[in-house]
Amino acid sequence: LWSVQVQDIQSRDLGEFLVSRNFARRAAAAAQPSASTVPAPSPKVATVAQLRPLSVEAGFKGTVTVPHIISPNEFCCFLQENEAALNTVMAELSTLYNSPSPPPLLVNAEAGVACATQFSDDGEWYRAVIKSTSSEGYEVVYADYGNSEVVESVRALPERLASLPTQALHCSLFGA
């Protein structure tokens, strides 16, 4: 993980500075899933609509952690001010899914469904959203860190663990 401090550059915020120098551009609002693409929720499963994206105002200044970098054109960060709340959710995930009676496996889950799954690198449980399905399993995007992978199985995500907005902020540098 890399930590960076976003701060004023000659009395302007970093985002405005990067936009003014054509190194960045303002991101378009993310498209919201339509009712026809998101399966109807069941009492045990949180859907994408219930995993709200984190909202950050233009001109925001703060400290972020960058857990996932694909390229300068595609990377994710999360706000360090939300780290305590994220750690609480992570601890609850670990306790719940490592218990003798974890939430049920989701069978034939569709794209757009929020779930919990184990990350292959560390075996820990994370909140995720199913991006697609195939004969190999489920391609998931980890909601709080932005990375993705194909996993063999996913489990139901209780509503209480969907109350914290997704923490991954998808970013890019314009012209990089």
Side-chain angles (χ1 to χ4, degrees):
L1 298 179
W2 295 342
S3 292
V4 295
Q5 175 112 19
V6 179
Q7 55 188 308
D8 277 352
I9 297 177
Q10 299 177 341
S11 300
R12 291 191 297 185
D13 74 57
L14 177 60
E16 289 302 319
F17 175 80
L18 292 171
V19 168
S20 73
R21 298 290 194 274
N22 291 324
F23 290 115
R25 59 185 153 90
R26 286 182 179 74
Q32 295 297 316
S34 68
S36 64
T37 62
V38 177
S42 76
K44 296 180 181 177
V45 179
T47 63
V48 169
Q50 294 159 326
L51 268 177
R52 301 179 329 270
L54 182 64
S55 176
V56 178
E57 296 292 323
F60 167 80
K61 298 174 188 170
T63 304
V64 300
T65 298
V66 181
H68 181 63
I69 299 171
I70 295 173
S71 73
N73 290 326
E74 189 177 355
F75 59 96
C76 292
C77 65
F78 64 84
L79 306 179
Q80 286 188 359
E81 68 188 48
N82 295 343
E83 195 165 9
L86 179 56
N87 288 340
T88 298
V89 167
M90 294 299 297
E92 285 186 52
L93 284 165
S94 181
T95 299
L96 180 62
Y97 291 93
N98 291 316
S99 74
S101 301
L105 285 170
L106 296 178
V107 179
N108 299 322
E110 298 176 6
V113 171
C115 60
T117 192
Q118 283 183 298
F119 183 45
S120 62
D121 282 358
D122 63 11
E124 295 295 324
W125 288 91
Y126 294 89
R127 301 186 310 165
V129 176
I130 299 171
K131 187 174 179 179
S132 64
T133 62
S134 71
S135 60
E136 296 175 15
Y138 301 96
E139 181 181 5
V140 297
V141 176
Y142 292 99
D144 301 310
Y145 298 93
N147 53 321
S148 62
E149 70 177 341
V150 175
V151 297
E152 290 181 13
S153 63
V154 294
R155 290 193 174 269
L157 183 68
E159 295 291 332
R160 73 177 188 279
L161 293 176
S163 63
L164 180 70
T166 61
Q167 296 299 296
L169 296 171
H170 297 267
C171 306
S172 69
L173 296 178
F174 181 74

